[in-house]
Amino acid sequence: LVYDKVESLPALVYDYQNKWKSYRDGETVYKPYNHSNQRDADVIFLALGQNDDRKESNVEPLKNGLKEFAKHLRDIHGEDTKIVFIYGMMNDDDWFNDQVFPVVAEDLGGKENGYYSIKMERCSNLNLGIAEGESRYDAHPTVWEHSYYAEKLTAFMQNEVLK
């Protein structure tokens, strides 16, 4: 997503994730999910803006879009749904990250209102699962780094979100 070209981030993100790909006869078909049996989420994790265009002009549109999207998710899942903004896994642009994700969580009311943020280490700084002397193919997390992040999120959930 390029935020300075997006009118409504929540509508775009929700519409995108509300579909699944079906590959039939060599053709890609998007079908809507059936949410009729869904239950309200207790916690929603948002890791948006990790591998996207980070520049100063995108800070305010991204913050506004994240706030709107978080409110939209609460409208769907209920006011008691906790929302956690996760950031830093695919970039360590602190000048960008630190003025977006923790600020959005605080602007929405912070921990007292069920909005949290957690900063992760950049995966290319971890280099888990990368053999010595080998270089990374790209800056996407390896399966080992995903496990590392899952452990950190579990501890964060237990110690911060669900206490």
Side-chain angles (χ1 to χ4, degrees):
L1 298 174
V2 179
Y3 302 107
D4 55 356
K5 296 180 181 169
V6 174
E7 288 287 321
S8 176
L9 179 64
L12 178 69
V13 172
Y14 190 74
D15 184 55
Y16 174 77
Q17 69 89 30
N18 200 32
K19 298 175 185 167
W20 61 281
K21 284 184 181 180
S22 173
Y23 301 100
R24 177 165 269 181
D25 300 324
E27 188 176 340
T28 301
V29 178
Y30 290 92
K31 298 181 177 185
Y33 283 110
N34 179 355
H35 293 286
S36 61
N37 293 325
Q38 83 175 15
R39 72 182 234 5
D40 289 340
D42 296 320
V43 181
I44 296 173
F45 294 96
L46 295 177
L48 301 171
Q50 300 304 298
N51 193 26
D52 297 318
D53 191 20
R54 293 175 303 280
K55 58 187 176 186
E56 192 67 34
S57 64
N58 290 343
V59 170
E60 289 306 315
L62 177 58
K63 284 170 46 177
N64 293 336
L66 287 170
K67 290 176 197 175
E68 189 180 332
F69 188 49
K71 291 174 185 175
H72 175 71
L73 291 172
R74 280 236 175 128
D75 287 343
I76 293 169
H77 294 279
E79 285 299 313
D80 293 333
T81 301
K82 295 174 176 22
I83 296 180
V84 179
F85 297 97
I86 308 166
Y87 64 101
M89 296 173 292
M90 293 181 63
N91 69 70
D92 52 8
D93 296 335
D94 290 340
W95 68 269
F96 182 86
N97 289 331
D98 293 342
Q99 63 178 319
V100 174
F101 304 100
V103 171
V104 168
E106 284 304 311
D107 285 354
L108 291 169
K111 295 176 185 180
E112 298 79 27
N113 201 26
Y115 291 97
Y116 303 81
S117 67
I118 178 172
K119 185 176 187 174
M120 300 289 196
E121 295 88 351
R122 182 178 181 165
C123 62
S124 60
N125 293 340
L126 295 171
N127 280 324
L128 300 176
I130 307 295
E132 188 174 330
E134 286 187 16
S135 60
R136 291 185 78 92
Y137 171 70
D138 59 17
H140 291 83
T142 64
V143 67
W144 297 275
E145 289 158 349
H146 280 290
S147 294
Y148 172 82
Y149 295 136
E151 289 176 18
K152 285 198 67 152
L153 280 175
T154 299
F156 184 77
M157 287 275 296
Q158 292 169 337
N159 298 324
E160 296 287 330
V161 179
L162 300 178
K163 66 177 187 169

